[in-house]
Amino acid sequence: MSARTASKQRDDMTIHPVERDRWDDLVEAFGDNGGCEGCWCMYWRVSSGPEYARMRGAPARAEFSRLVREDEVPGLLAYRDGHPVGWCAVAPRPAYVRLRGSRTLRPDEPDDAGVWAVPCFYIKNGHRRRGVADRLLAAAVRHAESHGAHTLEAYPTDSGHRRYSSAELNMGTVDLFTRHGFTETERPSPGRVIVRRRLT
């Protein structure tokens, strides 16, 4: 790929916060399966596995739609040539209540609204490995910073630990985050890493 072609691909991509007027675009990006097996990006927003199991699918879609309708911006959408191709969740960490009960990811200061988190990505088939996650993460850093966050946190997979399926990489990879200035702060398991970046 020539430098000119690569530049054109980057220029054709835009990133926008998901506000109520972009709900239909989010539905298009998530597709018939509702993101990752009907998650509708609610996995980290409920308190337990049983609660998520009851919600997955149509109830998760309804609850996520409510968040957007009530003007909570739960994340960012990437567009290529005007079509939604990828999603990144980014919000104040207290919004992700499941982190509180996680044995491996539970924060020391769970109520610090100045710490934001990027818990997951969803990239449509046909657009993976084409720089969408990189652009989304760069935009997430700017978005969190512009809304007063002092720290951005994430929980990526160490893809060098073993071979993972694409579904297992929906929290991003360590390499992705280190490219954007994040540093490892904890490794609760061989394949799971907590990374942070201080914001100005």
Side-chain angles (χ1 to χ4, degrees), residues 47-180:
S47 60
S48 67
E51 182 181 359
Y52 172 69
R54 291 190 297 270
M55 174 179 279
R56 191 169 63 183
R61 172 176 171 155
E63 179 61 18
F64 201 57
S65 172
R66 182 190 65 78
L67 294 177
V68 176
R69 289 197 315 271
E70 294 182 358
D71 294 324
E72 179 173 340
V73 177
L76 308 173
L77 267 181
Y79 294 76
R80 176 165 275 149
D81 297 326
H83 299 285
V85 298
W87 155 261
C88 168
V90 56
R93 189 176 60 188
Y96 303 116
V97 296
R98 193 162 184 170
L99 289 172
R100 292 172 178 268
S102 172
R103 290 179 297 175
T104 57
L105 303 178
R106 182 172 54 240
D108 293 332
E109 299 175 350
D111 297 323
D112 187 350
V115 179
W116 282 43
V118 180
C120 62
F121 298 83
Y122 182 78
I123 312 300
K124 290 183 69 172
N125 283 332
H127 297 274
R128 295 168 185 167
R129 301 181 183 275
R130 296 179 59 190
V132 179
D134 270 287
R135 289 290 296 272
L136 281 166
L137 182 54
V141 171
R142 295 192 298 270
H143 179 75
E145 192 169 45
S146 69
H147 286 79
H150 60 71
T151 302
L152 194 55
E153 185 175 272
Y155 321 97
T157 302
D158 184 349
S159 55
H161 172 61
R162 64 172 175 83
R163 188 175 183 85
Y164 292 89
S165 68
S166 59
E168 291 177 295
L169 298 176
N170 66 347
M171 296 171 78
T173 64
V174 173
D175 289 346
L176 167 66
F177 284 91
T178 55
R179 285 198 299 272
H180 290 266

